[in-house]
């Protein structure tokens, strides 16, 4: 699967954050620094910063009040229900914060792990709430977000108001002499003298300072809201353990589906291929037996045809066995097995295997079938004249790379065989990266976890 990195915090997508935003920016006439103060993204981030203060005050007040009340009542039987209600309320308020971050920041955060209530009843529910790590992370968010929200609110309002006020100062400085009785905005003043911004030069400098502040404000606000993104993702999203459990459950489903598909394929190949051929062979031998006394020559011809059918059936069985797990892979390892696959490819293939030892049989088998399928794609679709296969180890990863000089254009996201291959690799924490520009060459790199072969 062509994997992209750098999306750990889910910053792609959402309102105003299309996946192809980087490509769209190149089509704008104005540079990003000049567009930023007027873009919808900046206004949404400012809105998020302004809303953070009242919402954080509400979160902090609720969390501190309820937890303090629950802790104070722990000496009685009321303490545990109050504390559980406090944590449950924090979880609900956390869902509101995730929705706000999704709407205004374009941050997509999955729901945290659900409560694991083992039995029915209030006691079991309270125990599940108190044991849930997501509940305590929501409480921690409610407490920690208030000081950061105060800082973000102060900086955002100060920069935004100051920037636009100074930028537009030449247009409204007349208010001071007309209504305030002074020449302009006072820059400095004491008992002896005062400095006012009132001449054209000072007005121009003031507007330039305001322009710099206005242009810098979106990037400063964006940096501040990035901390909010991290807090929401880290404290209100699922834990790494829960995420890993979901991944393993998904991978287990892929493995089960793949195994079932392989069994169906083997059954179909046996039924439609070798089994049908053997049935026809038995019928031909029966007819030859009947004609043996009447027409020995015809019987001999039929036996000779049956002999050819036996050879064909044996070849089909060998191919089927090779598709399940080739004997050469078990006996001699990846180098010999991949060389055997390369010899059957439609184009010349150079195979280089540099491994200090053999990996675990499961990893070795996946590596073999990965290269085998990639070379089949080279034979069928690449229109190449040359290909190469390289296998090596980097620390705890087994690396595979298949390169051909064909027409290119391979895409793992288009639902092709590469997509299924990527799912198989992902089921064992592997990665498939496809680099195949139009016109070629095509470079497919696969990573598999390295597990050494256990001694017998």
């Amino acid at each position: 699967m062509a994997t992209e990195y750098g999306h750990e915090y889910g910053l792609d997508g959402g309102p105003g954050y299309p996946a192809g935003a980087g490509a769209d920016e190149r089509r704008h006439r104005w540079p990003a620094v000049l567009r930023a103060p007027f873009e919808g993204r900046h206004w949404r981030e400012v809105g998020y910063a302004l809303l953070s203060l009242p919402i954080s005050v509400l979160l902090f007040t609720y969390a501190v009040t309820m937890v303090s009340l629950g802790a104070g009542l722990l000496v009685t039987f009321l303490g545990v229900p109050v504390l559980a209600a406090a944590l449950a309320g924090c979880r609900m308020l956390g869902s509101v914060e995730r929705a706000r971050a999704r709407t205004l920041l374009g941050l997509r955060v999955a729901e945290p792990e659900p409560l694991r209530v083992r039995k029915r009843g209030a006691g079991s529910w309270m125990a599940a709430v108190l044991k849930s790590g997501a509940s305590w992370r929501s409480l921690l968010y409610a407490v920690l977000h208030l000081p950061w929200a105060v800082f973000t609110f102060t900086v955002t309002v100060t920069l935004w108001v100051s920037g636009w006020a100074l930028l537009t100062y030449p247009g409204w400085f007349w208010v001071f002499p007309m209504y305030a009785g002074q020449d302009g905005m006072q820059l400095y003043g004491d008992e002896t003298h005062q400095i006012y911004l009132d001449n054209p030069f000072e007005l121009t400098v003031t507007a330039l300072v305001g322009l710099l502040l206005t242009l810098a404000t979106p990037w400063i606000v964006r940096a501040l809201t990035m901390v909010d993104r991290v807090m929401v993702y880290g404290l209100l999203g699922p834990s790494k353990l829960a995420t890993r459990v979901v991944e393993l459950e998904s991978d287990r489903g892929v493995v089960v589906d793949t195994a079932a598909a392989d069994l169906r394929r083997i059954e179909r190949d046996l039924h439609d291929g070798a089994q049908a051929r053997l049935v026809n062979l038995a019928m031909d031998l029966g007819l030859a037996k009947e004609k043996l006394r009447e027409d020995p020559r015809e019987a001999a011809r039929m036996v000779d045809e049956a002999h050819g059918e036996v050879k064909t059936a044996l070849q089909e069985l060998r191919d089927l066995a090779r598709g399940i797990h080739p004997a050469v892979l078990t006996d001699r390892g990846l180098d010999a097995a991949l060389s055997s696959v390369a010899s059957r490819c439609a184009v010349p293939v150079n195979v280089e295997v540099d491994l200090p030892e053999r990996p675990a049989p499961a990893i070795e088998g996946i590596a073999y079938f990965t290269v085998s399928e990639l070379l089949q794609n080279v034979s069928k679709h690449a229109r190449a004249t040359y290909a190469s296969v390289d296998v090596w180890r980097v620390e705890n990863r087994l690396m595979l790379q298949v390169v051909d000089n064909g027409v290119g254009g391979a895409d793992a996201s288009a639902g092709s065989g590469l997509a299924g291959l990527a799912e198989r690799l992902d089921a064992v924490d592997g990665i498939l990266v496809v680099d195949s520009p139009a016109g070629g060459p095509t470079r497919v790199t696969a990573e598999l976890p390295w597990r050494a072969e256990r001694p017998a």
Side-chain angles (χ1 to χ4, degrees), residues 278-441:
L278 290 174
V279 170
N280 292 333
L281 174 62
M283 294 175 62
D284 291 342
L285 288 176
L287 293 174
K289 181 180 179 182
E290 293 178 358
K291 287 184 175 291
L292 184 59
R293 295 181 180 180
E294 300 175 1
D295 191 351
R297 289 186 179 182
E298 180 65 17
R301 185 188 65 79
M302 296 179 67
V303 170
D304 186 62
E305 290 180 356
H307 184 255
E309 289 289 321
V310 169
K311 291 182 178 180
T312 305
L314 288 175
Q315 184 60 42
E316 290 181 352
L317 290 174
R318 290 193 192 98
D319 293 340
L320 184 60
R322 189 182 294 114
I324 299 173
H325 194 86
V328 65
L329 179 62
T330 303
D331 298 337
R332 300 174 58 187
L334 271 176
D335 195 353
L338 295 182
S339 298
S340 176
V341 172
S343 66
R344 299 192 299 271
C345 187
V347 301
V349 180
N350 180 49
V351 179
E352 294 288 341
V353 179
D354 183 15
L355 296 177
E357 56 182 326
R358 294 182 63 173
I363 300 300
E364 194 174 54
I366 294 174
Y368 170 83
F369 289 113
T370 299
V371 175
S372 178
E373 186 163 343
L374 291 176
L375 289 181
Q376 286 183 15
N377 290 341
V378 171
S379 299
K380 296 178 181 178
H381 310 295
R383 286 184 280 174
T385 60
Y386 174 80
S388 64
V389 176
D390 294 300
V391 182
W392 71 98
R393 177 185 176 185
V394 177
E395 296 180 352
N396 62 340
R397 306 292 286 180
L398 175 63
M399 308 295 297
L400 314 171
Q401 191 172 82
V402 178
V403 181
D404 67 76
N405 62 347
V407 296
D411 187 4
S413 62
S416 61
L418 290 175
L421 187 59
E423 291 181 355
R424 293 193 180 196
L425 292 179
D426 187 60
V428 293
D429 289 338
I431 298 173
L432 185 73
V433 180
V434 180
D435 180 17
S436 181

Side-chain angles (χ1 to χ4, degrees), residues 11 15-18 21 25 35-48 104-106 218-219 221-223 225-226 229:
L11 302 183
Y17 299 86
E25 285 192 6
R35 299 195 317 270
F38 307 99
E39 288 182 331
R41 176 177 182 178
H42 169 58
W43 293 101
R44 285 189 295 270
E45 289 172 342
V46 170
Y48 185 90
L104 298 178
L105 300 182
W219 308 100
V221 173
R222 190 163 302 173
T225 55
M226 187 63 69
R229 289 180 171 97

Side-chain angles (χ1 to χ4, degrees), residues 22-67:
D24 292 338
E25 285 192 6
R26 291 194 293 269
R27 294 195 291 267
H28 285 289
R29 296 181 179 179
W30 297 95
V33 67
L34 297 180
R35 299 195 317 270
F38 307 99
E39 288 182 331
R41 176 177 182 178
H42 169 58
W43 293 101
R44 285 189 295 270
E45 289 172 342
V46 170
Y48 185 90
L50 297 181
L51 287 175
S52 289
L53 182 59
I55 292 177
S56 294
V57 170
L58 175 63
L59 287 173
F60 184 87
T61 303
Y62 171 82
V64 172
T65 302
M66 292 295 292
V67 172

